[in-house]
Amino acid sequence: MEKILAPPWLEALLSTAFFSICSAHRDAPRSECNMYCIDCHGPAFCFYCRSSKHKDHLVIQIRRSSYHDVVRVSEIQKALDISGVQTYVINSARVLFLNERPQPKSAIKVGTSSHVCEICTRSLLDPFRFCSLGCKLVGIKKNGNANFMLSKKNEGVVGSREGMASRMPSKEEDDEELREGIIIQRDNSTYQSTPRTPHSNSSSRRRKGTPHRAPLGAP
């Protein structure tokens, strides 16, 4: 029996056009079609279509960075083995790109990066094999030495469908957490925001000393 190296919905996801305006909710504030249903394998849809038609389905949300489609690692790793794909942290959200991006000519000429994508030779920040999910899929078809399918131990981590996109962020959260292509971390460790050190209130709680007045008649 032939081993399945990639799920059947992945190619459909990578060829889907996102961020058009939903015809059914054109006048609504969140009408961009930036959702994809892994169960249905259909076209992109908006926030309101998800609530009405895909409520109990596996849904991921696609975002934009420098005009390229990205997906949060925390969402896609519940459905795919993303090992070997370069990840980036953009405004505190760890993401990866869906498809290959054009390589700047200046970067090609300089060639200072010691890490490049095996498929498109794009420069990578870290020692990964691929720059995107699309390039990993091409590598799987070409060489068969990679895999998108989750192992049994990872499936236990994924658990049920909860958490895939169970809580949809508000528009304000989207704008705050993922803006246009500002990469703020280069390593591949899990991003953790630095906790704020609480200001000490000891000074405000400190009991002031009782002022002493000079005795009357003192020189």
Side-chain angles (χ1 to χ4, degrees):
M1 183 176 180
E2 184 179 357
K3 184 179 180 181
I4 299 176
L5 300 178
W9 53 265
L10 181 58
E11 286 195 65
L13 167 66
L14 298 180
S15 62
T16 297
F18 294 96
F19 299 100
S20 61
I21 300 301
C22 177
S23 58
H25 304 99
R26 185 175 301 276
D27 298 326
R30 302 182 68 179
S31 59
E32 279 189 331
C33 294
N34 61 352
M35 307 276 182
Y36 184 81
C37 181
I38 292 176
D39 288 337
C40 298
H41 309 183
F45 51 91
C46 76
F47 172 84
Y48 306 100
C49 290
R50 179 190 183 277
S51 301
S52 60
K53 300 178 181 180
H54 305 273
K55 184 177 180 180
D56 298 320
H57 294 180
L58 290 177
V59 173
I60 57 175
Q61 182 175 356
I62 305 303
R63 295 168 169 84
R64 275 268 169 99
S65 175
S66 300
Y67 306 103
H68 296 284
D69 296 338
V70 301
V71 62
R72 282 183 179 170
V73 170
S74 60
E75 291 186 26
I76 196 65
Q77 70 181 359
K78 299 176 186 297
L80 291 177
D81 179 352
I82 59 172
S83 60
V85 181
Q86 173 75 63
T87 62
Y88 301 88
V89 172
I90 303 178
N91 284 20
S92 80
R94 182 164 290 281
V95 303
L96 48 76
F97 287 89
L98 295 192
N99 290 296
E100 171 189 348
R101 293 167 291 150
Q103 175 85 315
K105 293 183 179 180
S106 58
I108 296 176
K109 291 180 180 180
V110 174
T112 56
S113 175
S114 58
H115 312 302
V116 296
C117 176
E118 293 180 7
I119 302 303
C120 68
T121 68
R122 182 180 181 86
S123 298
L124 303 178
L125 300 178
D126 304 294
F128 288 94
R129 297 179 59 190
F130 310 104
C131 69
S132 62
L133 294 177
C135 280
K136 181 173 180 177
L137 182 60
V138 173
I140 289 174
K141 291 181 176 181
K142 184 178 180 180
N143 303 315
N145 59 353
N147 195 340
F148 271 120
M149 307 306 292
L150 292 171
S151 63
K152 291 297 182 181
K153 63 178 180 179
N154 288 333
E155 287 176 359
V157 175
V158 173
S160 65
R161 295 168 180 249
E162 295 179 2
M164 195 71 177
S166 57
R167 176 190 172 275
M168 299 311 301
S170 66
K171 183 65 166 65
E172 291 74 17
E173 288 175 319
D174 279 347
D175 291 342
E176 180 64 25
E177 294 183 10
L178 191 60
R179 298 178 187 274
E180 286 292 330
I182 305 174
I183 299 174
I184 63 172
Q185 185 169 326
R186 290 163 58 100
D187 67 302
N188 190 40
S189 60
T190 302
Y191 179 86
Q192 293 182 342
S193 58
T194 304
R196 294 183 179 179
T197 303
H199 296 289
S200 174
N201 294 326
S202 59
S203 59
S204 63
R205 295 193 301 266
R206 187 181 301 146
R207 185 174 181 179
K208 295 183 179 179
T210 304
H212 297 280
R213 299 179 65 182
L216 294 176

